[in-house]
Amino acid sequence: MTESLIGALFVFVLASFTGFEVINKVPPTLHTPLMSGANAISGISVIGALIVAGDRSWNLSIILGLLAVVLATINVVGGFLVTDRMLQMFKKKEA
């Protein structure tokens, strides 16, 4: 259990560092496609959280799964709203 937790924490730290470095090196014109990709990844998080929260016995994993579903859903909806707003900025305005 402890070894798997340390391994998962190691992967989380590496993913956080990599994500921070990738975001810093992306030009502003590519932020919208990158945000759309991040929304797709958050959709995968929602599915994983639903699987974890779908267990019949009531324990801590269900509470954490439900919390993950709520937070990932907020992230997906907010990401799509921001992406839509950014795409509206690139449309030509009719005179």
Side-chain angles (χ1 to χ4, degrees):
M1 175 70 181
T2 305
E3 292 179 8
S4 65
L5 181 65
I6 290 173
L9 186 63
F10 182 71
V11 169
F12 177 73
V13 169
L14 283 178
S16 298
F17 179 74
T18 303
F20 181 76
E21 289 297 320
V22 167
I23 291 294
N24 277 340
K25 295 193 177 11
V26 171
T29 55
L30 293 178
H31 278 193
T32 300
L34 184 65
M35 192 178 304
S36 297
N39 286 339
I41 293 171
S42 292
I44 295 170
S45 299
V46 169
I47 292 172
L50 284 172
I51 291 171
V52 169
D55 195 10
R56 293 184 183 191
S57 62
W58 185 254
N59 56 18
L60 181 63
S61 66
I62 292 178
I63 295 170
L64 291 176
L66 288 175
L67 182 64
V69 167
V70 171
L71 292 176
T73 303
I74 289 171
N75 188 26
V76 168
V77 172
F80 279 119
L81 289 175
V82 170
T83 301
D84 185 55
R85 185 172 178 189
M86 290 178 73
L87 289 175
Q88 294 292 328
M89 292 171 36
F90 291 110
K91 285 187 176 178
K92 290 184 178 180
K93 295 180 182 175
E94 296 179 17

